Amino acid sequence: MPDRTYVITGPTSGFGRRTALELAKHGTVVLVGRDAAKLNDVREGIESSGGEAVSVLCDLSDLTSVRRAVTQIIELGLPITGVLNNAGIFPHRPRTNAVGWDIAYATNHIGPFVFTEALVPHLEDGTQVVFIVSAVEDPERKPATMAGFRGARYISAEASTRGEWKPGGSKLPGADAYATSKQCNLATVLAFARETPRLRFNAIEPGFAPGTNLGRDASPFLRLLSKYVLSPPAPLIKYWTNPGTAARMITRIVTDESDATGVYYDEKGRPMRGSAQVHDPAFNARVVAETRALLGTVPAR
């Protein structure tokens, strides 16, 4: 086994599960998720194929859990080569975490932000840090607007934790929270790439994949239709993909040894552009600054 370790969040379903299995061909995989039984299932699958994996429990909506998980990862003493912030949710109704923050924003942005910042001091120069993002943050993205999205509706980090978004947003339940949280992921990547040039920070829009577990709140009929009817031919459709195809592309980026940083990749692994807003250095720096200021008000436990 190569002397390499890849840390992946959300490895128990969809893109994450398939990517964890792919990454195991390149080194040890640290599986970070909130369901012990599912983590063990993935770990056993990797080990049965001759790979090596370690499970670390973590609920990304809970900052105490996030910090505890980072401590456990550091204590493993493994040579981390890549970090993949893959975990994400798309709730179809407003929900909050234990401290009353919007669950989508807390899980998709705040949790990965804290997870990454806590790991950064312990990463060797050149480590690849990748965030899975979404092009629905862009109000000019035609496939997204046709699906009912209206782009990210960011006001401030504090407003986002309250589930407050700029007016004129989507009528799709949960769409504004999801698009805004994913824009903050991309903003984080672009700002971190400038701040910490010794590491590589990149983002991936993996494509629309009807076969993932992101739409777990949908009806059983829609979930079955997506998984067994729409997913197999998805890679043949522009902007679409399926977990297997996406996993191979994501693995290629995470294991890439070039110096590329601050790059946003599409579902084919090609550089793409996000919204004009997210690429504005002043905006992405503000997202990071406001996130840090918000976290400074939360007592460490």
Side-chain angles (χ1 to χ4, degrees):
M1 182 65 64
D3 190 24
R4 296 173 180 227
T5 299
Y6 297 93
V7 179
I8 175 173
T9 66
T12 60
S13 64
F15 294 149
R17 184 184 181 93
R18 296 295 292 270
T19 303
L21 298 176
E22 289 289 330
L23 285 172
K25 299 173 185 178
H26 299 268
T28 301
V29 182
V30 179
L31 307 165
V32 183
R34 60 185 177 179
D35 189 310
K38 291 181 178 179
L39 286 174
N40 287 333
D41 180 62
V42 179
R43 178 181 56 78
E44 289 171 0
I46 289 173
E47 292 176 346
S48 68
S49 298
E52 296 182 4
V54 182
S55 298
V56 174
L57 280 174
C58 177
D59 179 351
L60 284 168
S61 73
D62 181 340
L63 298 187
T64 300
S65 177
V66 172
R67 293 180 176 121
R68 184 185 304 121
V70 171
T71 297
Q72 291 175 6
I73 292 169
I74 295 167
E75 290 175 347
L76 291 172
L78 295 169
I80 299 175
T81 306
V83 177
L84 177 60
N85 286 297
N86 163 78
I89 59 172
F90 188 165
H92 290 188
R93 58 185 177 81
R95 290 164 45 202
T96 57
N97 67 359
V99 296
W101 290 356
D102 179 85
I103 194 71
Y105 194 75
T107 303
N108 295 351
H109 172 57
I110 300 293
F113 187 99
V114 172
F115 185 78
T116 301
E117 283 223 307
L119 274 177
V120 161
H122 305 277
L123 301 177
E124 295 293 330
D125 291 357
T127 300
Q128 175 83 276
V129 182
V130 175
F131 283 69
I132 298 299
V133 301
S134 175
V136 300
E137 64 86 22
D138 186 354
E140 303 299 322
R141 179 84 166 182
K142 288 185 178 180
T145 57
M146 289 175 63
F149 289 89
R150 295 296 177 266
R153 318 300 300 179
Y154 186 81
I155 298 172
S156 69
E158 186 175 354
S160 296
T161 63
R162 296 194 297 267
E164 298 174 4
W165 324 107
K166 279 187 178 180
S170 175
K171 294 181 180 180
L172 291 174
D176 290 346
Y178 182 74
T180 303
S181 66
K182 287 299 177 179
Q183 182 181 69
C184 288
N185 287 159
L186 183 51
T188 297
V189 166
L190 298 174
F192 279 14
R194 292 194 308 274
E195 286 184 1
T196 313
R198 71 178 188 84
L199 304 177
R200 295 173 294 153
F201 293 92
N202 295 298
I204 299 174
E205 153 58 87
F208 172 65
T212 70
N213 198 36
L214 188 62
R216 61 179 66 91
D217 289 347
S219 70
F221 171 75
L222 286 177
R223 293 201 303 272
L224 289 172
L225 177 68
S226 295
K227 184 174 182 179
Y228 295 107
V229 178
L230 298 178
S231 183
L236 302 176
I237 304 171
K238 189 175 183 180
Y239 304 124
W240 285 39
T241 191
N242 60 30
T245 301
R248 290 188 290 274
M249 181 273 294
I250 294 168
T251 298
R252 178 163 59 84
I253 301 301
V254 174
T255 59
D256 175 44
E257 296 184 356
S258 74
D259 294 331
T261 188
V263 181
Y264 182 19
Y265 296 96
D266 69 9
E267 76 282 357
K268 302 294 185 184
R270 303 168 301 197
M272 65 176 282
R273 292 285 296 178
S275 65
Q277 182 180 47
V278 80
H279 283 284
D280 177 1
F283 175 77
N284 55 58
R286 178 164 73 89
V287 169
V288 167
E290 290 181 352
T291 302
R292 285 172 176 154
L294 172 70
L295 291 168
T297 68
V298 181
R301 290 186 294 165

